[in-house]
Amino acid sequence: MTKFNTQLIHGGNSEDPATGAVSTPIYRSSTFHRHVLGGEPKWEYSRTGNPTRASLEKLMAQLEGGVAGFAFASGSAAIHAVFSLYSQGDHFIVGKDVYGGTFRLINKVLKRFGMEFTVVNTRDLQAVEDAIQGNTVAIYFETPTNPLLQITDIEAIAKIAKKHGIKTIIDNTFATPYNQRPLTLGADIVVHSATKYLGGHSDVVAGIAVTNDQEIADQLAFLQNSIGSTLGPDDSWLLQRGIKTLAARMRVHQENTDAVIDFLQGDDHIAKIYYPGLKNFPGHDIAAKQMRNFGAMISFELQPGLSAKKFVESLQLIDLAESLGGIESLIEVPAVMTHGSIPREIRLKNGIADELIRLSVGIEDPEDIIADLNQALAKLD
Ligand code: PLP
């Protein structure tokens, strides 16, 4: 078995069986000719299976160490398909800090179908165990979380879950399989907003689910085909193209982030930094144990009274925009943007202050990123 960085490039269908093309061709055909009636043709209809998508799915299964991968039209679609494994009356434990859209999916959609949820700080292992009920089917969380970068011990949670015969589902968007492989730590299903680091260039919206359980894989294949929120062949190709450079990008993202953290730590305008690479950050030791490196997402708060609005609007290089994980540095204010769908009182209770700023450090020259942050901070004086 080749190593991870080699798999990024040679995984999936690294050579097209029909032509030998080294870049998987984009098979745009919606349907496939049959030579005989009946039987089980390899390809029949592109919602059910498409060769370009299949290459990406195989690659993602390899990268996460699973038995099968599934590509969806968005990260939200992947998360929806995974929850669709379960039924009315099933109960889930959900991490306290999750992407605002996941919070919305749970509260405004899945609850309407009779699914039950208890929100728990998954860093507190006892609280997780205490929240397990007779009808609990899974524990769902992010680590690091969006936007507070909170760290949960994957191995410890998976151990609790196994003891109670329930599943562990992890949103691995922030870490990517380059930095963290939850299935190898005991998790059962991994989901991604592939829109972020996997795609890497802010030019594709996509989602991925991977499992190491053949029974779940069979069900997910059924659900992917039944619900139909699949990723099209063009986007599947684009995503696989992006994934090829994941390791190269992540190395530069990390170098730049280390430099930006040093800068922020030395700046008087900054009151608090959320970053698992900081030695005094809660969960640092767990992150060091379960992640290759700490990633390129940073959240921070300005000193009381300083305006986050004025700061982000003063930036000239860093894009004020939703999303993350692109080659370009992106900044946002979760309370107004990515987490605006969470009611303010719940947001504040969960630690997302109105003035919290989330920065996705890109791969530009670090001096330029820091100079932009510096000039925007100076405008607050
Ligand atoms: N999970 C996390 C951690 C996210 O940040 C996002 C989007 O920001 C999603 C899931 C949803 O993914 P998508 O926007 O691709 O639907």
Side-chain angles (χ1 to χ4, degrees):
M1 167 97 82
T2 50
K3 293 177 79 176
F4 185 85
N5 296 354
T6 308
Q7 279 174 23
L8 288 171
I9 293 153
H10 294 281
N13 293 342
S14 63
E15 185 184 303
D16 177 48
T19 63
V22 297
S23 169
T24 301
I26 302 173
Y27 284 97
R28 284 215 183 90
S29 194
S30 59
T31 190
F32 299 86
H33 178 88
R34 298 182 185 212
H35 294 282
V36 290
L37 184 62
E40 285 190 15
K42 183 152 173 51
W43 308 109
E44 49 190 72
Y45 185 63
S46 271
R47 168 163 41 74
T48 319
N50 171 281
T52 314
R53 194 178 86 219
S55 175
L56 165 70
E57 292 175 330
K58 185 171 156 195
L59 171 64
M60 279 309 303
Q62 288 167 341
L63 297 179
E64 285 287 8
V67 294
F70 301 90
F72 295 90
S74 68
S76 302
I79 295 167
H80 177 255
V82 166
F83 275 113
S84 302
L85 289 162
Y86 302 97
S87 305
Q88 184 179 19
D90 284 343
H91 172 257
F92 301 84
I93 292 167
V94 180
K96 192 167 124 193
D97 190 34
V98 291
Y99 165 58
T102 303
F103 179 91
R104 180 176 56 208
L105 174 68
I106 287 170
N107 286 287
K108 298 256 168 84
V109 182
L110 300 176
K111 281 188 180 171
R112 287 199 288 110
F113 291 87
M115 292 181 177
E116 297 168 19
F117 297 87
T118 302
V119 174
V120 176
N121 178 356
T122 49
R123 283 164 50 205
D124 182 343
L125 301 177
Q126 193 56 52
V128 170
E129 190 145 21
D130 290 347
I132 296 174
Q133 308 173 176
N135 59 344
T136 305
V137 288
I139 305 171
Y140 178 100
F141 61 97
E142 301 171 5
T143 181
T145 62
N146 183 1
L148 294 171
L149 286 307
Q150 302 295 289
I151 300 296
T152 290
D153 188 332
I154 298 172
E155 231 169 351
I157 294 280
K159 219 162 140 195
I160 294 171
K162 282 197 170 62
K163 187 170 113 192
H164 291 270
I166 63 182
K167 301 296 182 197
T168 304
I169 307 169
I170 294 180
D171 183 332
N172 201 29
T173 299
F174 270 34
T176 84
Y178 177 81
N179 271 332
Q180 174 174 281
R181 299 173 80 220
L183 299 183
T184 66
L185 299 170
D188 302 284
I189 306 173
V190 163
V191 292
H192 282 279
S193 171
T195 316
K196 311 297 171 358
Y197 290 102
L198 292 176
H201 296 72
S202 304
D203 54 12
V204 61
V205 173
I208 295 287
V210 178
T211 179
N212 52 9
D213 178 321
Q214 192 55 53
E215 208 177 307
I216 295 174
D218 294 344
Q219 290 168 4
L220 275 175
F222 169 81
L223 289 165
Q224 186 190 36
N225 186 40
S226 301
I227 298 170
S229 51
T230 51
L231 192 65
D234 289 74
D235 284 346
S236 295
W237 180 86
L238 194 52
L239 181 52
Q240 184 163 353
R241 208 270 297 263
I243 291 171
K244 286 176 204 265
T245 57
L246 179 69
R249 284 184 283 112
M250 292 308 281
R251 283 195 284 259
V252 184
H253 278 299
Q254 192 65 57
E255 271 172 35
N256 286 1
T257 303
D258 294 347
V260 168
I261 284 285
D262 279 352
F263 165 76
L264 291 175
Q265 279 188 301
D267 191 282
D268 291 344
H269 302 91
I270 311 297
K272 186 165 183 188
I273 302 175
Y274 298 82
Y275 185 64
L278 294 172
K279 290 215 162 42
N280 60 355
F281 189 72
H284 168 77
D285 292 346
I286 295 165
K289 180 184 77 166
Q290 68 190 15
M291 299 177 76
R292 183 203 298 240
N293 216 321
F294 302 104
M297 296 301 302
I298 305 169
S299 289
F300 57 96
E301 286 167 22
L302 299 173
Q303 296 292 359
L306 297 184
S307 163
K309 179 174 160 60
K310 183 163 182 202
F311 168 65
V312 295
E313 288 178 354
S314 301
L315 292 162
Q316 290 165 3
L317 175 79
I318 301 170
D319 286 298
L320 173 60
E322 306 238 357
S323 205
L324 59 107
I327 47 176
E328 59 288 281
S329 295
L330 298 166
I331 204 157
E332 64 118 9
V333 177
V336 184
M337 298 168 72
T338 52
H339 292 67
S341 57
I342 304 178
R344 184 163 183 269
E345 66 280 7
I346 298 179
R347 233 190 317 107
L348 292 177
K349 210 172 108 214
N350 289 350
I352 304 173
D354 290 335
E355 301 286 303
L356 183 78
I357 294 162
R358 191 193 74 185
L359 172 63
S360 169
V361 180
I363 64 169
E364 302 95 338
D365 281 308
E367 297 80 4
D368 289 330
I369 301 172
I370 290 168
D372 196 29
L373 291 168
N374 198 25
Q375 66 78 21
L377 287 168
K379 297 239 164 66
L380 303 176
D381 295 335

